[in-house]
Amino acid sequence: MGVSEKPGLLDNRLWAGKAFDGAWSTVLSTARDALEPATGQVFSRVGIASAADMQAAIGRAQQAQAAWAATGPRERAAVFHRAASIFEQHFDELAMTVARETGGIVPKGQHEVREAITLCHLAAALPMQAQGQVLPSTPGRLSIARRVPHGVVGVISPFNFPLILGLRSVAPALALGNAVVLKPDTRTPVSGGFIMARVFEEGGLPKGLLQVVPGDAEAGEALVVDERVPMIAFTGSPTVGRRIGALAGQHLKKVSLELGGANNLIILEDADLDAAASAAAFGAWFHQGQICMASNRILVHESIAEGILQRMVGKATHLPVGDGASGQVALGPMIDAKQLQSFDKLIKDSVAQGAKLEAGGTYEGLGYKPTVLSGVKPGIRSFDEEPFGPVANLVTFRTDEEAVQLANTSQGGLAAAVISPSVGRAMAIGQRLRAGMVHINDQTVNDECTNPFGGPGVGGNGGSVGGPADIDEYTQWQWITVKDAPPAFPF
């Protein structure tokens, strides 16, 4: 792949046009090229699964699952310790691969691989935890509630942080005794699928338990409706999430949805302007704003609005945009032309609706300049919708109450933040915000893998993944009672 001169873990020839079935023997119905966003060059040849391809993968996973669920906890844990070690051994190769394929800067690729290592260590701990509890019952009866795997878990992952957002479901689901069918985004099949396949292949995961099957909507729908898959974990847009939720509901499946939504960063009038502007810039523009936790709305007290605006414009003007893998820029390209055009239209529509373009709003190739809009308010697209691009939407408020009302003008959100040296006041505001994650004196882009990650409404349908939420998500309760002998009944 050109990412390393020494023999590495990755080789495009393994998966060109194929799925991972524990080996690389399944050729998919069709194939197409996945392009590197920064250069437009072919990055990999990705197979595209049909509905029949997906159904066959589900069958292979189902066949392998029972023996894996019966495998001892230490043996299951060992697979994830080995996987973490493999990520560490190939750190530089994998980080550069993620950066290039996603259009991210090198530190972004490094971050994904570091988090992958952590996710594997956390997954290794899951089989070693208590799997249930003894319940109170009548004398002579043993009553046990235990956690059991669902069976086959379907995972549909996005393009923006494909390694983390795929592995955060794949690793705990596998560790808890499930098999997994993973459908990565076809724009990032290596970072979102084949890296995991290679790591677990080398780590000794039994064949068939992880199926990596790239595909479009046809394959995704086949995964969601198949009766052999009792749970679907999806990360992506609210539009697709609603479709998956509706289909899964018809088939009485458990769903884990993480969809983004509106994320609010509130800056109070006593905040340090330089520190607040720096936080806002990172929250709005890191990875070109293509983050589900991005600081979509920056709510600024009107008395400091001009100071924040000047600082944000200064940063937008000087932050370089280009090839993220070069190590010379702050922002890389958007993932593809479709995403860029969608974002550009949102910016143009927002200006037509009354927002003022203070900086940015232009692009070259797929590189979109960091953009600042002022005068943003409800009724303007960049306020009402998740932009998923590099824009800082500046919204002013006069009172704490108004800030809360503006922030809660949405269908829900993943993350919120409040910046102020008055921690008590900031916490009082934060506790009233409709968000699954709230950060005081920080921006909204935060995740430590050990925390429950999710939010209300379009933030994630009220569910969470990660940390203490994983056992709840990827297993279900089973009640067992035991008596020495059957009792006498009056019938």
Side-chain angles (χ1 to χ4, degrees):
M1 294 178 61
V3 297
S4 177
E5 295 301 321
K6 62 183 179 180
L9 186 70
L10 307 181
D11 185 342
N12 258 321
R13 294 170 294 182
L14 285 174
W15 54 73
K18 299 177 182 177
F20 177 73
D21 54 13
W24 303 93
S25 55
T26 299
V27 178
L28 295 176
S29 297
T30 59
R32 62 171 173 257
D33 293 332
L35 306 181
E36 182 178 355
T39 66
Q41 299 298 308
V42 174
F43 191 77
S44 65
R45 183 76 173 164
V46 56
I48 306 299
S50 65
D53 290 328
M54 181 60 75
Q55 290 159 359
I58 293 166
R60 293 190 295 267
Q62 184 186 43
Q63 188 174 15
Q65 187 268 330
W68 175 243
T71 300
R74 293 191 182 200
E75 290 79 7
R76 274 188 275 143
V79 171
F80 296 93
H81 286 307
R82 291 194 294 268
S85 179
I86 292 165
F87 274 117
E88 290 171 345
Q89 293 167 22
H90 297 275
F91 184 91
D92 291 339
E93 175 193 7
L94 299 181
M96 184 59 74
T97 296
V98 173
R100 287 180 55 194
E101 188 179 43
T102 64
I105 59 176
V106 174
K108 185 263 189 186
Q110 294 169 335
H111 171 72
E112 288 214 52
V113 180
R114 277 194 299 270
E115 295 300 275
I117 294 167
T118 298
L119 287 166
C120 285
H121 284 308
L122 292 171
L126 290 173
M128 306 303 293
Q129 295 184 32
Q131 302 297 307
Q133 51 188 291
V134 178
L135 305 176
S137 189
T138 58
R141 181 166 76 169
L142 177 65
S143 178
I144 300 171
R146 69 169 187 154
R147 303 295 304 198
V148 296
H150 296 294
V152 178
V153 174
V155 178
I156 302 174
S157 60
F159 69 82
N160 57 335
F161 280 73
L163 179 56
I164 293 175
L165 299 182
L167 190 62
R168 73 174 181 185
S169 290
V170 169
L174 286 171
L176 290 164
N178 300 282
V180 171
V181 178
L182 168 63
K183 190 192 84 66
D185 193 296
T186 56
R187 291 168 290 186
T188 52
V190 180
S191 303
F194 296 136
I195 286 177
M196 283 174 265
R198 288 291 293 128
V199 166
F200 284 117
E201 182 182 24
E202 292 295 306
L205 183 73
K207 185 175 180 179
L209 287 168
L210 175 61
Q211 304 281 325
V212 180
V213 192
D216 296 325
E218 177 188 354
E221 185 157 328
L223 180 62
V224 172
V225 302
D226 196 294
E227 64 181 11
R228 297 168 294 177
V229 183
M231 178 184 176
I232 299 293
F234 170 76
T235 301
S237 71
T239 299
V240 178
R242 287 188 176 95
R243 171 65 175 165
I244 288 173
L247 284 173
Q250 292 173 18
H251 294 269
L252 302 179
K253 298 192 178 201
K254 179 172 184 175
V255 289
S256 174
L257 302 175
E258 193 265 271
L259 310 177
N263 305 305
N264 298 276
L265 169 57
I266 299 173
I267 304 175
L268 303 183
E269 72 276 10
D270 54 359
D272 179 286
L273 298 191
D274 291 330
S278 178
F282 182 88
W285 298 329
F286 180 58
H287 195 49
Q288 301 75 261
Q290 298 173 132
I291 303 178
C292 54
M293 301 171 283
S295 302
N296 310 133
R297 304 169 178 167
I298 301 168
L299 279 59
V300 185
H301 192 276
E302 63 178 10
S303 66
I304 59 168
E306 185 61 31
I308 293 292
L309 172 62
Q310 291 176 1
R311 287 163 173 80
M312 296 293 290
V313 169
K315 293 176 186 297
T317 304
H318 293 97
L319 286 172
V321 180
D323 183 350
S326 69
Q328 305 299 313
V329 301
L331 279 75
M334 303 284 279
I335 189 66
D336 62 13
K338 180 180 178 180
Q339 183 70 24
L340 182 141
Q341 292 299 329
S342 175
F343 173 71
D344 186 57
K345 186 174 189 309
L346 180 141
I347 295 299
K348 288 182 168 57
D349 287 350
S350 298
V351 171
Q353 291 168 335
K356 182 179 180 182
L357 181 66
E358 303 282 1
T362 62
Y363 58 91
E364 183 176 343
L366 295 181
Y368 207 102
K369 295 288 187 182
T371 299
V372 180
L373 295 180
S374 65
V376 179
K377 58 186 178 181
I380 292 176
R381 282 193 66 197
S382 58
F383 182 96
D384 294 339
E385 302 176 25
E386 182 182 18
F388 227 65
V391 59
N393 293 298
L394 299 183
V395 183
T396 60
F397 65 89
R398 294 182 179 181
T399 66
D400 293 1
E401 182 65 30
E402 185 183 7
V404 171
Q405 290 178 352
L406 284 166
N408 287 339
T409 304
S410 71
Q411 295 178 317
L414 274 175
V418 185
I419 296 179
S420 169
S422 304
V423 174
R425 177 184 171 201
M427 288 187 66
I429 292 173
Q431 290 168 356
R432 298 175 62 195
L433 300 180
R434 191 166 181 251
M437 300 174 283
V438 178
H439 309 288
I440 305 303
N441 286 321
D442 204 340
Q443 43 76 48
T444 56
V445 181
N446 278 280
D447 183 22
E448 293 185 344
C449 298
T450 56
N451 54 281
F453 188 104
V458 295
N461 200 33
S464 294
V465 296
D470 279 341
I471 291 180
D472 287 339
E473 282 295 290
Y474 303 110
T475 64
Q476 57 189 315
W477 285 111
Q478 183 183 60
W479 184 39
I480 298 175
T481 67
V482 181
K483 293 182 178 181
D484 290 336
F489 293 98
F491 289 0

